[in-house]
Amino acid sequence: CWVARGRWRLSLPSFQLLRPKTLDEAMALMAKYDGQVKVVAGGTDLLPSMKQKLFTPPYVLDLRGIGELRGIRSGAGGGVEIGALTTLSIVEHSPLIRKDFPVLYEAVKTVASPVLRNMGTIGGNLCLDTRCLWYNQSLLWRKSCGFCLKKDGDLCHVAPGGKFCWAAFSGDTPPALMCLGAEIEIAGPTGTRRTPLSEFYVNDGIARLHLAENEIVTRVYLPESSAGWRGSYQKLRVRGSIDYPLAGVAVALKMRAGRVEDVRVAITAVNPAPFLVKDADAHLVGVVPTEEIAGRVGDLAASTAKPLTTSALTPEYRREMVRVFAKRAVMAAAN
């Protein structure tokens, strides 16, 4: 850090930039510099954190030169495949996504600002670091507070009586993708594996992801069976643009003759991981959605949310907005 005109300005730590042109080359570089590499795609999450000295890797692996990881196309077994390096703005402006997967379209268009969506990628949005008022600060600020459990300290300022990190996962696209039954492909030193997105996250502000240091998320798969589901995404943030969600709810409905045939509801930004809300189908499947029924789903979503003081808004308000947004999202998707 250095002082300029009375304000703190942050600079990046020194590192060597690695720029592979193929996925195989990227995996070889990760093996060569095992445990010393941070992967960057758009850089909208990692680079600010590096300026805050949350990460000081000797090597940064820039994936942007790997063309095979870009684009939206039909999958080999039906459905849609999205390369992990596809920018959020490309996903947002895809006629296919807007027509067949509206809940994803609604979520993507709320991410940050148009400028950041031009840089940020779908893969990067899935792998965001968790966020907390005590963590996402400059080194000087964190040092003055004695650091925290997530970085350099042994105390959680949010819940000082325990040893669990409550930093919240704050991505917008994961709950929408989970509602669509999305799967992701992960490349590692022994090949690739495919896993449901709903099983990718760890409910721990530190561990975050089932992703090893030598693995890279390469693709997102949307099943053909989810095409045409109605959807809605509702997001709470302090400012109407730019900000991360402080609470978010995604709803996807499969409708037939005005009645719900299938439903998925997911929440984000109120737990260390995004979650599918259990038992929403028990209230909605087979019925015509009403305000009363949608309110019951809101109650379920609110009971799944466990917000603490990780953001500028109170936990009570964020939990209540999950209730309100779930109800609104159900009615918006149904109509």
Side-chain angles (χ1 to χ4, degrees):
C1 305
W2 54 282
V3 180
R5 297 181 182 178
R7 303 180 69 177
W8 286 104
R9 187 169 296 181
L10 304 175
S11 59
L12 284 169
S14 298
F15 60 88
Q16 183 175 336
L17 186 63
L18 309 174
R19 286 181 163 168
K21 298 300 181 183
T22 66
L23 183 58
D24 287 344
E25 185 181 347
M27 300 312 303
L29 287 168
M30 292 189 77
K32 180 178 179 180
Y33 302 109
D34 186 29
Q36 304 178 71
V37 177
K38 276 291 182 182
V39 173
V40 65
T44 58
D45 186 49
L46 178 64
L47 295 185
S49 292
M50 288 177 63
K51 289 181 178 181
Q52 293 168 330
K53 306 303 184 290
L54 293 170
F55 305 109
T56 56
Y59 302 94
V60 172
L61 186 71
D62 182 359
L63 300 178
R64 288 177 297 174
I66 307 177
E68 65 188 281
L69 300 185
R70 297 184 185 277
I72 302 171
R73 59 187 68 87
S74 296
V80 172
E81 173 188 311
I82 306 174
L85 289 183
T86 306
T87 64
L88 296 168
S89 60
I90 293 295
V91 178
E92 176 189 4
H93 293 106
S94 165
L96 176 62
I97 297 300
R98 185 167 187 171
K99 174 180 177 291
D100 288 345
F101 305 99
V103 67
L104 178 57
Y105 163 73
E106 288 207 3
V108 168
K109 72 179 183 179
T110 72
V111 178
S113 66
V115 171
L116 291 175
R117 291 197 295 275
N118 284 340
M119 290 294 295
T121 65
I122 188 74
N125 200 248
L126 297 183
C127 297
L128 287 177
D129 194 9
T130 49
R131 300 187 64 79
C132 179
L133 280 175
W134 299 91
Y135 172 69
N136 298 100
Q137 304 286 352
S138 70
L139 175 60
L140 181 69
W141 192 97
R142 289 182 287 113
K143 185 177 181 179
S144 71
C145 295
F147 299 106
C148 75
L149 187 64
K150 186 170 169 65
K151 179 64 176 175
D152 296 329
D154 56 7
L155 172 70
C156 176
H157 297 280
V158 173
K163 291 295 183 180
F164 183 83
C165 177
W166 288 94
F169 180 82
S170 301
D172 290 296
T173 63
L177 289 166
M178 290 165 69
C179 284
L180 295 170
E183 296 185 341
I184 57 172
E185 179 185 85
I186 298 171
T190 60
T192 61
R193 60 186 175 95
R194 191 160 158 173
T195 185
L197 182 62
S198 58
E199 298 177 8
F200 180 56
Y201 296 100
V202 179
N203 190 37
D204 181 328
I206 297 174
R208 298 171 37 238
L209 311 171
H210 288 293
L211 188 73
E213 287 188 347
N214 57 359
E215 292 183 320
I216 299 172
V217 174
T218 51
R219 290 175 180 83
V220 180
Y221 297 97
L222 302 177
E224 187 176 15
S225 58
S226 294
W229 285 39
R230 300 183 188 182
S232 178
Y233 180 69
Q234 306 282 325
K235 174 178 179 175
L236 174 68
R237 50 186 165 181
V238 174
R239 295 173 291 183
S241 63
I242 300 176
D243 284 345
Y244 286 91
L246 300 180
V249 179
V251 171
L253 300 177
K254 184 179 182 181
M255 302 289 292
R256 178 172 293 182
R259 295 180 181 272
V260 177
E261 191 173 86
D262 204 351
V263 57
R264 296 189 191 108
V265 179
I267 61 174
T268 188
V270 284
N271 294 301
F275 280 113
L276 283 167
V277 176
K278 296 180 180 179
D279 300 325
D281 56 339
H283 296 281
L284 282 169
V285 171
V287 305
V288 177
T290 64
E291 294 280 341
E292 180 183 354
I293 292 171
R296 294 177 202 158
V297 176
D299 292 340
L300 279 177
S303 67
T304 305
K306 307 294 181 186
L308 292 183
T309 53
T310 55
S311 75
L313 300 180
T314 66
E316 294 79 10
Y317 180 68
R318 290 161 65 204
R319 183 182 293 108
E320 184 58 27
M321 290 310 296
V322 167
R323 187 191 317 276
V324 171
F325 284 161
K327 179 179 178 180
R328 287 180 185 174
V330 168
M331 296 308 296
N335 297 306

